Amino acid sequence: MKTILFLLNVLILTNITYPQTGWYLQNSGAGGSFNTVYFINDQTGFVSGGITIFKTTNGGISWTGKILPDTSIIYSIRFENQLTGYACGGRGVNNYVSYQYLFKTTNGGDNWTKILNTSGSMTTEYFYDVYSQNNFICLADGGFGSMATVGSVICSTNGGVSYPYYLNMYDESFDKLSFINSQTGWVSARKETDTQVGERRIYKTTNGGANWTLQFNDASQYMGYSSLMNVRFINSNTGFTLYKAREKAKFAKTTNG
């Protein structure tokens, strides 16, 4: 399942539309664009990009919309099991304020409750990813992606009641999380400046988000702000990252964690 989701991210990021045997276009019946897709099994899955989360129970043949309790662009959906899942994102209010949201469902996506609402100092500061396991929750705060931004990763050990563990980095925007358990995980980041020189980074934690160590750093020149940087680990050693620099896709792999 993780491999399938990663390949979908590859297709979205690089805008590849080559026809492939075995792939079939599924119509959700909704307009607009989608930012995230998550399947619990081969029949039940979710997609979203706006205030509505669409659910399928027949492998994508038909979809039903579930409206969220607040206006938000959704960037990530994750489920712990058949019933419990989370969706995160945010929305801009004006040029100086944005809201970040975390929603939760306990009945398989039929109803969603807002369990976290914070505010940021930039118009596009959203939660770009969420990871959850039992009472452990981590969120990647994207920041604005430019100078004077303080992106963050916040982690909770009590189901989102409080977030005592965090990583704040000046001028960095955090994108995607990949955990193999509640202790060991990685987060991707973008450091961007007004000189159009950016760095793509990956940080690792081995104690549930209490501490983070820089593991990967690619300094590349590019024109303008780039897309999100993806990261996905399939076990403690093997992981992949995908991102763009100067309109070129870069794909990297690790075999030692």
Side-chain angles (χ1 to χ4, degrees):
M1 180 57 65
K2 291 181 179 179
T3 302
I4 292 174
L5 293 179
F6 188 78
L7 288 174
L8 286 173
N9 284 321
V10 171
L11 294 175
I12 293 171
L13 180 59
T14 57
N15 295 319
I16 296 174
T17 57
Y18 304 124
Q20 298 290 334
T21 302
W23 291 88
Y24 304 95
L25 181 65
Q26 301 293 316
N27 189 352
S28 70
S33 59
F34 295 130
N35 299 317
T36 182
V37 55
Y38 190 91
F39 271 74
I40 299 173
N41 51 48
D42 62 347
Q43 295 297 309
T44 304
F46 305 83
V47 296
S48 185
I51 64 173
T52 303
I53 294 179
F54 294 90
K55 177 182 179 179
T56 180
T57 56
N58 54 15
I61 296 175
S62 60
W63 299 80
T64 303
K66 312 295 181 180
I67 298 178
L68 294 169
D70 208 330
T71 303
S72 176
I73 301 172
I74 297 299
Y75 283 95
S76 180
I77 300 172
R78 299 284 183 96
F79 271 74
E80 293 184 0
N81 50 50
Q82 297 277 353
L83 297 177
T84 304
Y86 297 85
C88 68
R91 64 181 174 92
V93 179
N94 51 46
N95 291 333
Y96 306 100
V97 177
S98 63
Y99 292 140
Q100 298 87 46
Y101 297 113
L102 177 64
F103 303 94
K104 180 180 181 179
T105 179
T106 56
N107 58 8
D110 290 334
N111 302 100
W112 295 84
T113 302
K114 182 171 59 177
I115 65 171
L116 180 62
N117 181 188
T118 63
S119 61
S121 59
M122 294 293 184
T123 186
T124 56
E125 185 176 346
Y126 308 140
F127 288 142
Y128 281 126
D129 206 4
V130 56
Y131 171 84
S132 66
Q133 184 182 65
N134 298 324
N135 287 321
F136 177 73
I137 300 175
C138 258
L139 289 158
D141 181 1
F144 186 63
S146 64
M147 292 184 67
T149 291
V150 181
S152 63
V153 180
I154 58 175
C155 297
S156 171
T157 58
N158 54 16
V161 177
S162 61
Y163 293 84
Y165 297 149
Y166 58 88
L167 168 67
N168 289 338
M169 298 297 291
Y170 185 72
D171 289 352
E172 292 195 31
S173 176
F174 291 95
D175 293 337
K176 293 298 180 179
L177 296 159
S178 183
F179 277 80
I180 57 173
N181 53 51
S182 60
Q183 294 298 304
T184 303
W186 295 260
V187 64
S188 60
R190 294 168 291 152
K191 181 177 178 64
E192 300 177 347
T193 71
D194 61 352
T195 61
Q196 296 188 343
V197 176
E199 298 179 9
R200 300 297 171 264
R201 296 177 172 181
I202 294 177
Y203 294 87
K204 180 181 181 179
T205 181
T206 57
N207 55 9
N211 302 102
W212 296 83
T213 303
L214 179 65
Q215 282 200 310
F216 175 84
N217 185 30
D218 180 11
S220 304
Q221 287 201 2
Y222 63 95
M223 300 299 292
Y225 302 132
S226 62
S227 59
L228 301 183
M229 180 181 184
N230 211 330
V231 60
R232 184 79 71 228
F233 275 76
I234 59 176
N235 54 48
S236 60
N237 291 317
T238 305
F240 305 87
T241 181
L242 180 68
Y243 55 100
K244 290 176 72 175
R246 285 189 75 88
E247 302 305 318
K248 293 182 179 180
K250 288 191 174 184
F251 186 64
K253 176 182 179 180
T254 180
T255 56
N256 61 4

